[in-house]
Amino acid sequence: MSFVESPRSTCALGGALTYVNSLSRTAPIIHAGPGCGSVLTFGQNFGGGYQHIGYSGGFAAPSSNTLERHVVFGGEDRLREQISTTLEVIDADLYVVITGCTAGLIGDDVRAIVGEFAEKGKNVVFAETPGFKGNTYTGYEIATRALLSQVVRPSSKKSQRTVNLLGIVPAQDPFWQGNLAEIRRLLEKIGVKVNLSGDGDRLAGVRKAAEAALNIVLSPTTGLAAARYLWEVHGVPYIQLPIPVGVETGSFLRKVAELFRLEEGKVESVIAEEEEFLWKHLVKLSEAYAYILVNREFGIVSDSNYAIGLTRYLTNDLGLIPRIVILTDDPPESLHESILAGFSGLEGGIALKVVFEPDGFNIARLIEDNRPDILLGSTLDREIAKKLLVPILTFAFPLTDRVALSNGYVGYRGAVNLAEDLSSAILST
Amino acid sequence: MSIEQHNIARNTVPTRENRLNTITAYVGTGNEIEGKARGGCLLQQDRRFSQSAACAEMMPLCNSALIDGNVVVAHSPVGCSGMLSVINIIGKAGRLMRGMPAQNARSISTNLSEHDVVYGGGAELEKAILEADARYNPPAITIVTSCASGIIGDDVDSIVKGVQPRVKATLIPMQCEGFRSGVVSTGYDAFLSALLQVIDLPKRKRQDTLLLINPLSISRPNEVEIERLLQLLGLKAQWFPLFTDFANVRNAAETAGVASLCSLMSNYFFKQFKDKFDVPFVEPPMPVGIEFTDWWLRDVGKMLGIEDRVEQLIESEHARVRPQIDELKEQLHGKRAYIGFNLEKSLSLQSLLLELGIETVVSTGFEYSDAYGLDRLENLNKRCSGNYTLHIGNFQHFEWAHLFNREKPDMLVGGLELGGAALRQGVPVAPVLPGTFYLGYDGAVNYGKEIVKSLRNTAFSRNLAERVKLPYRKSWFKQKTHKYIGRSEP
């Protein structure tokens, strides 16, 4: 890894914390320095569109707050004490110890200490996520795998037509709840049940994650660690289907339907009904299209997942022209090829420039050099957009000029939201 | 392993715990803490249960990001820079109010990785500094250390000395690893103290100019009020160091004296600044409300030998403002408030609330030291019964929740830290945020009106509280608030 200007994610501990915060009645126990929990609350929750999330999240997150003496003499006794008092004070179904840089560097034996509580029948698990392990996505990967491997119960029974959804990182995707709700709504509509939805999952659901018939990884980069665990240890197959936006949602639903051998007629009628909803609203937009959107060349600055879904929708459905896509999530090199494949098959054989670039300074130069007519990015990109007099729709992390509650940008309803918000951003510039 | 082996004690400011016996854990009445402080028996205790606090590393990182033209290099994993997105919001508002263009904080994280923590992060730090210089040609670059860089033993001082000849910017290391101190203001010391190295020996003295420390929570309207008062005394204000540039930092020692809008923050810097440049300082409380603004002005007047002018000013301001305060008092009399900020701000607001006829039932301070706490407490305790609860905690939501539940106050006087927590427990918020005007005489009237507004429609907090389930066991609310403070059950 290399230095990065104005980072667009937090650290591995942040990824772990935000995942724990997405679970129902689950408390994190941060084993780290005193500031980690608050920096992440301010940076990740406020920075993700001002979200108060987590049953015991924000400033209520238990934290061992290790100081210099713990660094020198070890933090194990302090952790033992903190777990024990957390069990007294916090009324949760599950407690997840997540570690930061100090614990990782001084080598506290977290496994052994958590084991002492687990032996007594307490629902305490752990994930080792010191910040230097990587960014928010990496932390989500480590934490989901660690948590599932300690909680999921082996099962010979399979629930037919039941899936787990993996790969959407809460708050790092400010619209995670709206996005997951849309995916869930559509799956249920074609007759697929969702066990783990990624939003508000309960301990009982996590325990029976291995009963699912399929795991859907909703990202080209993230969610694979948990999916591979469930495949390798519990034999649950997975399929990687990055978030669909607009008409491509139909392909997503057809793929799932095919795997479950669902009745084709029913699935097609759902897709037809949903497309009717989408186009009813895009027809409304036709009156203004020539005025607002026609011939616009767009730039996207976001993580790989969003960038693929949005580019396909804006190009293939809305008829805009992609100018530049900047991927900010720093995925491992081994994934670059499959990510780039997500940008193939665009309407009109359009080939576009896709760049992997997490550094804020370089991102601004790329935008300046490629000069899109409209930009979709994070609040950090507002500065360069303003300088170039380019309208911007902010939606990616860090997002501090919008509040993200229930809106989303995936599926059919999300596609309408996007057309609406993008047009509004252009009109209000 | 010894501390020396960790190389974490190099060129660092003393912690507030060691220098001032600062404590971060206490619950008792105002009278009790005053008595204990006088008896010298207020000692730091640990919490056996604790929650997300704040760390000293945040202060140099966030504050130096708000010096115009500066580039911050955070020698840390990416997460430590997480808070800069919030600093960007404060920075944008603060810059616009001062007529500067909105701009993201210029910050580079060395993005310490697993490889770096094994082999050392020095090379990456060097690259980041060179790149910061090349990209922005800044007058200065501040380098902020972290838990990770401290524990792996990166010798930041030597690295910086090695790079300095190759860059135009003045390199300013600010060493304050997050684990070094449980007291946030140790981070303020690291921040302000490091700036001493870029302050020039004065070529001239500006006897009409007062240097004023502006903490990041104080926005422009408050500065304008202080400027108005100083102008009436024939004085000019030079703000230091936020939202100003390095030229303004360099000539700071030309001023006739220095005061602060938050003495908690500037305590260590003042002593060093006087030792090095012989500029006198005063440490009155934050000028909030009539009495504490009088106090602030009188201390400044005494330092500069203009006591008579100050008394005239106080008299004329009182005549103007008293009737307005009395009118507000009629509307607010008998209300009960919970105040939650750093102690300096909490106690100063408590003084204003007394003047507005509002009873403070709880005052939360993130830390306490006699150095900036005792004289304020003595003053307040004389003016009220002294039976309010003084809660000292580096955040600690479970204790706030306990006190909200026990006292059921009519309002929270608070900011970003406690605001959401209060609303979810049904307590409306009279906010003091970056942007709120509450300092000085006019600020007292303005904030009084703000409180009246905050109590007009309390539907949201009431509706929320009916639906929010707090994560605590019911048994927690039956315990004493201080149950987890100290090694054994008190």
Side-chain angles (χ1 to χ4, degrees):
Chain A
M1 275 188 281
S2 170
F3 65 81
V4 55
E5 181 168 329
S6 302
R8 289 165 194 245
S9 92
T10 67
C11 58
L13 179 64
L17 180 61
T18 197
Y19 170 59
V20 173
N21 280 340
S22 78
L23 299 165
S24 174
R25 285 183 50 81
T26 300
I29 300 176
I30 300 170
H31 185 36
C36 299
S38 299
V39 167
L40 292 168
T41 293
F42 280 121
Q44 194 157 260
N45 295 12
F46 285 47
Y50 303 86
Q51 323 215 354
H52 171 67
I53 53 173
Y55 172 65
S56 189
F59 300 117
S63 173
S64 62
N65 300 344
T66 47
L67 294 175
E68 189 150 357
R69 64 177 181 279
H70 307 112
V71 170
V72 176
F73 300 110
E76 295 179 0
D77 289 343
R78 175 72 194 98
L79 175 61
R80 188 179 288 112
E81 175 183 69
Q82 178 68 25
I83 296 174
S84 147
T85 52
T86 300
L87 291 167
E88 272 174 40
V89 177
I90 304 284
D91 177 21
D93 295 338
L94 179 66
Y95 302 81
V96 189
V97 176
I98 50 179
T99 60
C101 292
T102 48
L105 288 169
I106 62 183
D108 285 343
D109 192 347
V110 176
R111 176 184 300 272
I113 292 160
V114 168
E116 294 167 16
F117 290 90
E119 265 170 39
K120 287 183 222 153
K122 305 293 182 193
N123 289 328
V124 186
V125 296
F126 74 104
E128 294 188 284
T129 48
F132 55 80
K133 288 262 185 191
N135 62 18
T136 310
Y137 302 91
T138 310
Y140 173 92
E141 291 295 84
I142 299 171
T144 46
R145 185 179 173 111
L147 189 132
L148 293 181
S149 68
Q150 294 164 79
V151 174
V152 173
R153 297 191 167 159
S155 163
S156 51
K157 156 179 139 198
K158 289 279 171 261
S159 304
Q160 292 305 308
R161 295 183 187 175
T162 300
V163 300
N164 298 313
L165 302 179
L166 300 165
I168 300 295
V169 185
Q172 178 65 33
D173 172 1
F175 300 96
W176 64 289
Q177 279 172 314
N179 288 343
L180 287 166
E182 172 72 351
I183 299 287
R184 183 184 189 138
R185 179 184 75 82
L186 292 166
L187 287 173
E188 286 176 351
K189 204 165 169 184
I190 63 168
V192 173
K193 272 187 268 180
V194 175
N195 177 44
L196 296 183
S197 76
D199 175 15
D201 293 321
R202 294 174 176 279
L203 177 59
V206 181
R207 280 186 174 143
K208 52 179 204 181
E211 289 179 27
L214 179 72
N215 288 313
I216 302 179
V217 178
L218 292 166
S219 158
T221 60
T222 312
L224 285 168
R228 285 192 184 125
Y229 162 77
L230 288 167
W231 167 241
E232 285 157 13
V233 178
H234 298 281
V236 185
Y238 67 87
I239 181 171
Q240 213 175 350
L241 294 172
I243 45 170
V245 186
V247 170
E248 290 218 340
T249 312
S251 318
F252 175 94
L253 295 173
R254 285 187 190 102
K255 190 81 200 167
V256 177
E258 192 187 309
L259 289 167
F260 283 121
R261 300 204 178 89
L262 302 179
E263 189 201 322
E264 205 183 311
K266 190 188 167 190
V267 175
E268 287 306 323
S269 78
V270 168
I271 291 172
E273 191 185 325
E274 291 293 329
E275 283 197 7
E276 195 184 318
F277 170 88
L278 170 66
W279 287 102
K280 177 174 117 180
H281 294 288
L282 294 186
V283 167
K284 272 175 89 181
L285 182 66
S286 62
E287 202 66 20
Y289 183 87
Y291 172 53
I292 305 168
L293 287 172
V294 76
N295 288 341
R296 292 276 188 174
E297 299 192 0
F298 65 88
I300 295 183
V301 190
S302 76
D303 68 13
S304 310
N305 198 18
Y306 255 131
I308 294 172
L310 297 193
T311 299
R312 302 190 74 79
Y313 168 65
L314 294 176
T315 311
N316 292 352
D317 293 1
L318 274 191
L320 309 185
I321 321 273
R323 172 74 65 88
I324 174 102
V325 171
I326 304 167
L327 306 176
T328 59
D329 48 341
D330 207 10
E333 292 252 348
S334 57
L335 292 175
H336 284 199
E337 208 183 312
S338 60
I339 291 167
L340 292 174
F343 296 97
S344 61
L346 295 177
E347 186 74 28
I350 291 168
L352 77 160
K353 184 167 181 176
V354 183
V355 187
F356 292 92
E357 183 54 76
D359 182 275
F361 182 85
N362 294 337
I363 289 169
R365 294 295 80 73
L366 279 165
I367 295 167
E368 198 158 6
D369 292 346
N370 290 279
R371 294 240 173 196
D373 302 318
I374 40 175
L375 191 62
L376 298 93
S378 78
T379 304
L380 287 171
D381 304 307
R382 194 170 276 289
E383 188 176 319
I384 187 71
K386 195 174 174 195
K387 184 180 163 197
L388 302 176
L389 302 174
V390 171
I392 180 170
L393 171 66
T394 56
F395 74 101
F397 187 91
L399 187 69
T400 52
D401 57 352
R402 294 184 61 187
V403 171
L405 301 178
S406 72
N407 263 340
Y409 289 124
V410 313
Y412 297 103
R413 295 193 180 174
V416 176
N417 285 342
L418 187 66
E420 217 169 319
D421 291 351
L422 186 63
S423 303
S424 305
I426 293 168
L427 286 174
S428 61
T429 300
Chain B
M1 250 184 284
S2 73
I3 295 177
E4 282 70 28
Q5 275 173 303
H6 275 304
N7 185 24
I8 51 188
R10 186 184 291 265
N11 189 23
T12 48
V13 296
T15 64
R16 288 278 171 124
E17 291 95 319
N18 288 338
R19 188 171 64 84
L20 294 175
N21 294 319
T22 301
I23 63 168
T24 56
Y26 186 83
V27 187
T29 66
N31 286 330
E32 278 165 10
I33 195 167
E34 186 190 331
K36 282 195 178 171
R38 285 209 179 118
C41 47
L42 258 189
L43 299 174
Q44 169 64 346
Q45 292 184 294
D46 296 322
R47 282 185 174 79
R48 303 191 310 287
F49 173 72
S50 58
Q51 291 166 309
S52 292
C55 77
E57 181 186 333
M58 291 156 82
M59 296 301 121
L61 192 63
C62 295
N63 281 282
S64 68
L66 295 178
I67 303 177
D68 191 36
N70 185 45
V71 180
V72 193
V73 172
H75 189 34
S76 59
V78 271
C80 298
S81 304
M83 211 173 141
L84 289 174
S85 51
V86 176
I87 288 304
N88 273 335
I89 310 169
I90 297 173
K92 184 184 169 190
R95 289 177 65 89
L96 290 174
M97 277 191 274
R98 290 166 178 86
M100 299 151 88
Q103 171 182 298
N104 296 326
R106 304 294 184 223
S107 77
I108 297 182
S109 167
T110 54
N111 192 10
L112 285 178
S113 66
E114 202 147 24
H115 177 274
D116 299 322
V117 301
V118 175
Y119 297 101
E124 203 55 46
L125 176 59
E126 198 177 303
K127 276 199 284 178
I129 293 170
L130 291 172
E131 196 62 26
D133 193 58
R135 286 178 178 184
Y136 294 107
N137 189 24
I141 297 170
T142 55
I143 295 113
V144 181
T145 57
S146 64
C147 292
S149 74
I151 297 174
I152 64 176
D154 276 353
D155 185 351
V156 171
D157 264 355
S158 300
I159 295 162
V160 165
K161 282 199 185 96
V163 187
Q164 180 65 78
R166 296 157 64 194
V167 295
K168 273 189 269 169
T170 305
L171 302 182
I172 311 173
M174 296 179 169
Q175 308 224 29
C176 202
E177 297 77 16
F179 59 76
R180 275 203 73 229
S181 171
V183 178
V184 175
S185 53
T186 301
Y188 269 127
D189 295 341
F191 166 61
L192 288 172
S193 170
L195 292 178
L196 280 171
Q197 64 161 287
V198 284
I199 299 177
D200 296 331
L201 277 170
K203 293 187 198 79
R204 56 177 184 142
K205 268 287 176 193
R206 286 178 281 139
Q207 293 300 345
D208 63 344
T209 304
L210 186 65
L211 190 70
L212 289 164
I213 311 288
N214 56 354
L216 69 91
S217 63
I218 302 282
S219 66
R220 184 63 191 150
N222 297 295
E223 293 181 357
V224 170
E225 166 72 354
I226 300 299
E227 284 171 9
R228 178 184 74 83
L229 294 169
L230 291 178
Q231 198 181 13
L232 291 169
L233 294 169
L235 292 170
K236 288 179 195 151
Q238 176 168 337
W239 298 102
F240 176 96
L242 306 186
F243 299 107
T244 61
D245 58 18
F246 275 96
N248 185 71
V249 173
R250 289 193 191 283
N251 69 19
E254 292 175 4
T255 51
V258 56
S260 180
L261 295 185
C262 179
S263 298
L264 179 149
M265 166 183 176
S266 48
N267 177 275
Y268 185 63
F269 172 77
F270 279 5
K271 292 176 178 67
Q272 289 188 310
F273 190 54
K274 180 160 195 320
D275 283 350
K276 192 166 175 187
F277 299 105
D278 202 29
V279 178
F281 67 86
V282 282
E283 298 185 283
M286 190 180 272
V288 180
I290 293 175
E291 174 135 353
F292 278 22
T293 302
D294 294 352
W295 184 342
W296 193 90
L297 287 169
R298 283 189 176 118
D299 278 12
V300 167
K302 204 168 159 192
M303 172 171 69
L304 300 176
I306 50 166
E307 291 98 325
D308 292 349
R309 268 191 278 163
V310 167
E311 290 309 321
Q312 284 165 16
L313 173 65
I314 287 174
E315 200 178 317
S316 67
E317 288 292 314
H318 281 206
R320 193 171 63 81
V321 167
R322 279 265 185 229
Q324 300 176 64
I325 293 283
D326 288 343
E327 202 183 309
L328 286 163
K329 193 171 176 175
E330 271 174 38
Q331 298 177 65
L332 292 168
H333 186 76
K335 296 289 181 197
R336 300 164 73 252
Y338 185 126
I339 309 178
F341 301 97
N342 76 43
L343 188 73
E344 174 80 346
K345 196 161 161 182
S346 286
L347 295 183
S348 289
L349 276 154
Q350 196 174 336
S351 177
L352 169 59
L353 295 196
L354 263 170
E355 289 156 1
L356 292 170
I358 298 170
E359 182 197 354
T360 296
V361 288
V362 182
S363 230
T364 275
F366 302 147
E367 59 190 76
Y368 172 86
S369 163
D370 294 349
Y372 40 78
L374 189 53
D375 53 357
R376 281 77 157 158
L377 278 179
E378 286 169 349
N379 173 293
L380 291 169
N381 291 347
K382 266 186 221 139
R383 291 159 60 200
C384 69
S385 70
N387 283 330
Y388 58 91
T389 296
L390 190 69
H391 167 249
I392 303 298
N394 186 353
F395 295 5
Q396 305 314 313
H397 178 271
F398 73 115
E399 290 169 354
W400 302 344
H402 193 281
L403 292 165
F404 282 133
N405 182 67
R406 192 185 80 191
E407 298 295 340
K408 302 193 169 42
D410 296 311
M411 72 188 89
L412 170 80
V413 170
L416 281 179
E417 298 91 349
L418 280 84
L423 290 171
R424 290 188 289 274
Q425 283 186 262
V427 179
V429 175
V432 180
L433 292 168
T436 308
F437 175 35
Y438 64 105
L439 253 56
Y441 301 109
D442 283 347
V445 173
N446 184 67
Y447 186 63
K449 289 178 184 164
E450 213 38 62
I451 297 176
V452 173
K453 279 189 201 166
S454 294
L455 298 175
R456 278 183 310 190
N457 184 350
T458 59
F460 188 61
S461 54
R462 198 176 59 245
N463 289 329
L464 271 186
E466 283 170 13
R467 291 160 176 91
V468 169
K469 163 89 176 73
L470 294 175
Y472 305 110
R473 293 189 193 281
K474 282 199 189 95
S475 56
W476 164 235
F477 295 101
K478 293 177 190 138
Q479 314 284 335
K480 294 209 161 69
T481 321
H482 61 255
K483 173 170 178 178
Y484 289 98
I485 296 175
R487 293 322 309 169
S488 56
E489 300 253 354

